[in-house]
Amino acid sequence: MRPGPLVVAVALGTMVSVGLGVYGRVHEPALVAINVAGFSSGTAAKSWLGTAAFALALVQLGSARRMHRGGGRVAAGLHRWSGRAAVLLTVPVAVHCLYALGYQDTTVRVLVHSLAGCAVYGAFVAKMLVLGRPGGPRWAVPVLGALLFVVLTALWLTSSLWFFTTSGPTL
């Protein structure tokens, strides 16, 4: 893959991130959104779903490491399916955050969370676009995967971990 498609993938990912941020900023927060059955609140639901997505991101990290050491089809399958499940778990979280809360910058924690929330989907889009292109630079997918892991970790630290340490691990 020539540098052009990589630049296009990163540009499209950036546009997704900026688009989410703009929507979150201009949208009037509803302060309530969907609540997943079995959870006491939308915040509890997003904290637990975010924790499950973060746990799957750790599986992604381990399976990627194994794949790059010749782990074969089992590691590749685990990586693929844990990634799919992690992204699916983040969708209700993102809907809740964007619709109910919007993009906020009231504290440093909230600002970092808002920025990382926008960046996670941009990094995901860029990685998926590069992944499907044969002949690309060997470093592109691992670097974009690492970026995705870093922003998902930032999201978990600034939301789920914060929620559990301030409210306790309640459902």
Side-chain angles (χ1 to χ4, degrees):
M1 175 170 70
R2 298 178 321 277
L6 177 60
V7 170
V8 169
V10 170
L12 288 172
T14 301
M15 288 171 37
V16 167
S17 294
V18 170
L20 289 171
V22 168
Y23 173 80
R25 184 57 132 181
V26 300
H27 169 72
E28 186 67 34
L31 304 179
V32 292
I34 58 170
N35 191 12
V36 179
F39 294 101
S40 60
S41 67
T43 306
K46 79 176 208 158
S47 296
W48 282 104
L49 292 173
T51 297
F54 178 67
L56 288 169
L58 293 172
V59 171
Q60 287 273 289
L61 192 62
S63 61
R65 185 171 184 236
R66 181 79 176 125
M67 282 175 16
H68 288 288
R69 292 186 173 186
R73 292 173 40 169
V74 172
L78 178 61
H79 189 77
R80 200 173 304 114
W81 282 101
S82 62
R84 290 171 180 161
V87 170
L88 286 175
L89 286 170
T90 66
V91 171
V93 175
V95 168
H96 180 272
C97 288
L98 280 170
Y99 183 76
L101 306 171
Y103 182 95
Q104 296 183 22
D105 57 4
T106 53
T107 67
V108 172
R109 179 191 66 81
V110 172
L111 173 62
V112 169
H113 183 74
S114 291
L115 290 170
C118 296
V120 76
Y121 285 102
F124 174 74
V125 165
K127 181 184 175 195
M128 292 300 104
L129 290 173
V130 169
L131 189 62
R133 304 287 294 190
R138 292 180 53 103
W139 57 265
V141 171
V143 166
L144 291 170
L147 174 64
L148 184 53
F149 179 78
V150 167
V151 293
L152 191 57
T153 300
L155 278 174
W156 184 78
L157 291 170
T158 58
S159 61
S160 299
L161 182 62
W162 176 84
F163 175 78
F164 295 141
T165 57
T166 59
S167 302
T170 60
L171 289 179

